[in-house]
Amino acid sequence: MSTSKVWALSWGMVGAASFVVCSSTEGGPSVAPVESVPAPTASAPAPTASAPTSSPEGGADDAGRAFDESVRVRTEPCEKAAAQATRCESYEIVCGGASPAVVDVAYFEPPAGVAKKGVVVFGSGGGGTGFYNFPARDALTGAGYTLVDRRWTADRGWFDGAKAGPQEAACRYAALARYVKRTHAPSVPLCATGNSGGSAELVYALAWNGLASSLAFAMPTSGPFHRLDLFCQGQTDSAWVTETSALWSACPGCVGKGTQAGGGVISLLDASFGGSPMCSSPGASGLATLLAKSPVKGPDVPRMGRLPVHLKVGALDEAAYPIFSAALHRELGAAGVNVSYEVLAGVGHEMDKYDEGVKAIRDSLLTGCK
C-alpha cells in the first residue's frame, strides 16, 4: 500500500511559484493511507447499437451564442465497444472547417434505483483512439453519475481532419459535449476530464470552441500546454529554456526535465495542420502562427471565468507536461479563470495506471461535479 503527497501550487503574476505541502511522509504532517481502488465489478448488459436519431442542428452556449455544428447518430454500430458499457453509439460530427469525424461513445449508467446526479465525459490520451476505461468507474456510477467514454475512429484520432490546427480539430469534441448536455444532462451537471492528449482536446474546446458554459467542472490531467509554439519548439527559445529550469526547480519530486513535446506528440499536432510540418518544422513565420493558435490565445478564455478548471499532473511524469500545465495555470489565472493546479507524488503520466492517480481523479469528480 502506498501513500501520496499532493502539492498545491500557487503562481504569481511574474511566474514565481510556491508549493504548499498538503500532506507528506517522514518528518512532516501525518498522511492517511491511500487505499487501493478496487477493480470495477459492473454487470451491465452488453453494448448494443442504438437506433438512428437526429440531433438538433447546431449548438449554443448559455448566452444563446450559436455554433455551426451537427451530431448524427449513425446506423452502424460502434467500431469497438467498451467492456461492460450500458450501450455504445456511433456518431458523425460536422463542425467548423474540420472534416466530418466519426466517434464511438460508450455510456455507463448508474445502477437501477440510483438517482442520476450528473454526467462525466472521459477523454483518453494521444489522439483518443482508445477508450479511457477508468478503473474506478463503479464508484462514480454507484454515486449516480453517467459516464461517457469517447473514442475517435480516425488513424490519428481527433487531430485528423483539420487543416488550421488543434483548435479547429477540437470543435468536434465541443459539439459532442454539447450534444451530450442536450440529450443526457439537460437538468444535471455535465463535467469532463481528459488525460494527456485528451486534456489538450478539452482545453482547446473550452478556450476556442465555447464549451465552458455547458460544463460544471473540467479536470485536464497530465497536461496540457499554454503555448503551442513552445510546446512544439520550446528548446529553440532561450527565454523559455531559462524559465523551464526555474519551473522544474519549483516542482518538488518532479523527475522530468524537458522543454517541449516529444516526437510522437509533435507528429499528432502536424496532423491537425493537414499533415504539414507546422509543429515539427515551423520556421519563423510558423512559430507566430503556432503562438496565435495557443490555448491561452483562445477567444473564449474570458468566458471560462465561472467554470472550475482543475489541472492535475504527476511528479513521476518524465515528459514536460508538469511545467507546461503549471504555465497554463499561471496564464489562465492571470486571465481571471477559476483554475487550480495539483502535483501528485508517486504518479506518472498515465494517471489512471496509479492507485493514487485514480483516487485523486475519482475524489475530485465526486466533489467537483455538482
Side-chain angles (χ1 to χ4, degrees):
M1 185 173 299
S2 58
T3 57
S4 174
K5 292 181 184 178
V6 179
W7 287 284
L9 178 59
S10 174
W11 290 92
M13 294 292 291
V14 297
S18 61
F19 282 90
V20 178
V21 180
C22 300
S23 62
S24 65
T25 58
E26 295 185 358
S30 61
V31 182
V34 177
E35 72 272 21
S36 296
V37 179
T41 57
S43 56
T48 57
S50 63
T53 61
S54 297
S55 73
E57 287 296 314
D61 61 16
D62 57 6
R65 185 170 54 133
F67 297 92
D68 181 16
E69 60 192 31
S70 65
V71 179
R72 179 180 65 87
V73 183
R74 304 169 71 234
T75 57
E76 297 85 352
C78 290
E79 186 177 273
K80 295 182 180 179
Q84 300 177 333
T86 306
R87 67 188 182 282
C88 189
E89 296 179 346
S90 177
Y91 303 139
E92 181 185 67
I93 302 178
V94 181
C95 60
S99 300
V102 173
V103 60
D104 292 340
V105 180
Y107 291 87
F108 300 84
E109 299 287 356
V114 176
K116 191 169 186 175
K117 187 175 181 180
V119 177
V120 182
V121 180
F122 279 82
S124 56
T129 56
F131 288 113
Y132 194 113
N133 294 319
F134 184 56
R137 186 171 56 216
D138 288 354
L140 297 175
T141 56
Y145 291 96
T146 295
L147 307 191
V148 178
D149 198 346
R150 67 97 183 97
R151 173 194 170 272
W152 300 102
T153 63
D155 287 346
R156 292 184 177 270
W158 68 272
F159 294 96
D160 267 354
K163 295 182 175 61
Q167 82 291 341
E168 181 180 71
C171 76
R172 280 91 60 100
Y173 181 91
L176 173 63
R178 278 189 280 267
Y179 170 83
V180 171
K181 177 62 179 174
R182 292 193 303 269
T183 58
H184 293 83
S187 59
V188 296
L190 176 67
C191 305
T193 186
N195 197 71
S196 190
S199 75
E201 181 184 35
L202 172 56
V203 168
Y204 266 111
L206 293 170
W208 282 84
N209 296 284
L211 182 59
S213 65
S214 297
L215 297 183
F217 180 70
M219 185 171 55
T221 63
S222 295
F225 46 87
H226 64 313
R227 283 177 50 176
L228 184 55
D229 59 327
L230 297 178
F231 196 61
C232 289
Q233 297 294 322
Q235 65 186 13
T236 67
D237 188 302
S238 58
W240 172 244
V241 171
T242 299
E243 184 178 354
T244 58
S245 179
L247 291 174
W248 284 121
S249 297
C251 189
C254 286
V255 300
K257 292 294 180 283
T259 58
Q260 68 176 46
V265 179
I266 288 175
S267 177
L268 287 174
L269 288 164
D270 280 345
S272 72
F273 288 94
S276 69
M278 181 60 72
C279 185
S280 58
S281 183
S285 62
L287 286 174
T289 298
L290 293 172
L291 172 60
K293 296 181 177 181
S294 299
V296 294
K297 298 295 185 180
D300 291 315
V301 169
R303 295 185 175 94
M304 293 172 60
R306 69 158 188 86
L307 175 69
V309 178
H310 186 62
L311 305 171
K312 287 186 190 293
V313 294
L316 300 186
D317 193 331
E318 296 181 356
Y321 296 99
I323 57 167
F324 274 100
S325 186
L328 176 65
H329 170 252
R330 179 190 65 203
E331 299 298 325
L332 290 181
V337 176
N338 179 16
V339 61
S340 58
Y341 177 83
E342 281 186 336
V343 177
L344 303 179
V347 175
H349 184 70
E350 298 296 334
M351 199 165 285
D352 60 317
K353 307 301 183 187
Y354 298 80
D355 284 350
E356 293 91 337
V358 172
K359 180 181 183 297
I361 293 169
R362 179 198 68 190
D363 291 351
S364 290
L365 289 171
L366 288 173
T367 58
C369 188
K370 57 186 179 182

